[in-house]
């Protein structure tokens, strides 16, 4: 026969196991990071291959996709990706995570405004892709945005583990 302490310990272990499984299920899959990278790089690289009219079309497509995502998010009251995966993680705001991501993003934006197009053109020339500076810039932007998003997800996971809310 089990004592109250043993039953409590077993119940606690069951709850912790359930929480771990739920936490793993709520993680973003690897392909989300790939999509962020490909979309960012692709929409920047398209400037090497289309004229101004094509650029307006691409901008319109991006704006349309953003509006659709916003409408779906407002209608479902959750992130569209979370809803599609069937795991609707609680949206939480952790101030120190926001500050860290804002500082890193601000530093990146400052570097971009200071060195962005010239550095990408120089790198494209060094790689032998002188005719494709926007493609090189797109790959760099895609990498930067993907890493910034990954940083925000990692910091939120740390905050959840520490219990910061």
């Amino acid at each position: 026969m089990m004592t109250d302490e043993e039953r409590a310990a077993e119940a606690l272990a069951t709850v912790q196991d359930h929480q771990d499984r739920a936490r793993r299920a709520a993680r973003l899959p690897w392909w989300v990071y790939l999509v962020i990278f490909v979309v960012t790089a692709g929409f920047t690289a398209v400037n090497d291959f289309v004229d101004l009219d094509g650029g307006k079309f691409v901008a319109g497509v991006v704006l349309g996709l953003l509006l659709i995502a916003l409408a779906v998010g407002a209608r479902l009251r959750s992130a569209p990706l979370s809803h599609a995966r069937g795991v609707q993680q609680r949206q939480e705001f952790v101030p120190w995570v926001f500050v860290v991501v804002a500082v890193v993003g601000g530093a990146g934006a400052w570097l971009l405004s200071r060195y962005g197009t010239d550095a990408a053109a120089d790198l494209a020339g060094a790689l032998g892709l002188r005719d494709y500076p926007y493609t090189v810039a797109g790959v760099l932007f895609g990498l930067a945005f993907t890493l910034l998003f990954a940083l925000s997800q990692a910091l939120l996971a740390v905050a959840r583990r520490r219990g910061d809310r």
Side-chain angles (χ1 to χ4, degrees):
M1 179 132 182
M2 293 178 70
T3 66
D4 286 343
E5 288 179 8
E6 290 172 333
R7 279 193 295 259
E10 185 178 318
L12 180 61
T14 302
V15 167
Q16 288 173 338
D17 181 53
H18 177 69
Q19 287 174 335
D20 288 342
R21 281 188 277 134
R23 201 174 297 120
R24 280 193 300 274
R27 281 190 205 137
L28 292 174
W30 63 270
W31 55 264
V32 171
Y33 298 96
L34 179 66
V35 168
I36 290 170
F37 175 77
V38 169
V39 168
T40 303
F43 278 117
T44 306
V46 79
N47 289 321
D48 285 332
F49 307 103
V50 297
D51 58 1
L52 185 58
D53 294 334
K56 289 179 184 176
F57 172 74
V58 170
V61 168
V62 170
L63 182 60
L65 290 173
L66 288 173
L67 290 174
I68 289 171
L70 179 65
V72 168
R75 173 77 171 99
L76 299 175
R77 299 219 186 266
S78 70
L81 182 61
S82 296
H83 190 75
R85 289 182 16 238
V87 178
Q88 297 174 14
Q89 184 173 332
R90 189 175 354 150
Q91 300 296 322
E92 52 193 52
F93 178 76
V94 182
W96 70 266
V97 171
F98 176 78
V99 169
V100 169
V101 171
V103 167
V104 171
W110 177 78
L111 287 171
L112 178 64
S113 69
R114 180 101 182 188
Y115 305 107
T117 55
D118 295 336
D122 292 344
L123 183 60
L127 294 173
L129 301 170
R130 192 169 305 284
D131 294 336
Y132 304 103
Y134 293 111
T135 301
V136 172
V139 169
L140 294 174
F141 294 160
L143 183 62
F145 289 141
T146 304
L147 289 175
L148 188 63
F149 182 74
L151 173 67
S152 71
Q153 295 301 302
L155 291 176
L156 283 173
V158 167
R160 272 187 231 108
R161 276 194 305 269
R162 287 180 34 196
D164 295 352
R165 287 194 169 93

